[in-house]
């Protein structure tokens, strides 16, 4: 964070990359759609990260060299039996075209 805008919202700081090992990536829906006669491809991935990974809705994620945006809620899962953390889930999305 580098400060606040006139509405009191946090302003993002410079991009900083952090390698997070132990992630699982899976498709989160069919890609592609045509809008206005133009091919637009939207790729959505379900991303499962290790317990304690700090991810926010405003973050961007690099997967296989491509940059994706966090789309929707970041969910922290816990075991219903032990209460221990079971991981972090998010949907990453990128649109081209």
């Amino acid at each position: 964070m580098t400060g606040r805008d006139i509405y009191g919202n946090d302003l993002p700081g410079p991009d900083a990359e952090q390698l997070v090992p132990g992630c699982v990536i899976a498709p989160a829906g069919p890609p592609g759609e045509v809008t206005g006669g133009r091919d637009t491809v939207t790729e959505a991935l379900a991303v499962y990260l290790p317990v304690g990974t700090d991810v926010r809705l405003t973050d961007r994620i690099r997967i296989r060299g491509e940059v994706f945006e966090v789309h929707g809620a970041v969910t922290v899962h816990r075991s219903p039996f032990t209460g221990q953390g079971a991981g972090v889930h998010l949907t990453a999305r990128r649109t081209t075209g």
Side-chain angles (χ1 to χ4, degrees):
M1 181 177 86
T2 60
R4 296 190 184 275
D5 65 14
I6 61 171
Y7 303 105
N9 299 315
D10 294 338
L11 293 173
D15 288 344
E17 290 195 19
Q18 178 180 351
L19 180 64
V20 179
C23 298
V24 175
I25 310 294
E33 84 184 61
V34 177
T35 54
R38 192 171 109 181
D39 288 335
T40 300
V41 177
T42 299
E43 183 178 7
L45 300 173
V47 182
Y48 302 90
L49 303 110
V51 173
T53 304
D54 181 22
V55 182
R56 298 179 183 164
L57 183 59
T58 55
D59 288 346
R60 291 180 294 172
I61 299 174
R62 186 176 305 277
I63 301 171
R64 296 185 307 261
E66 302 292 340
V67 177
F68 289 74
E69 294 181 348
V70 174
H71 182 72
V74 176
T75 310
V76 177
H77 295 281
R78 297 199 172 280
S79 167
F81 304 108
T82 65
Q84 291 188 345
V88 177
H89 170 259
L90 62 88
T91 300
R93 188 171 78 171
R94 80 180 180 110
T95 302
T96 57

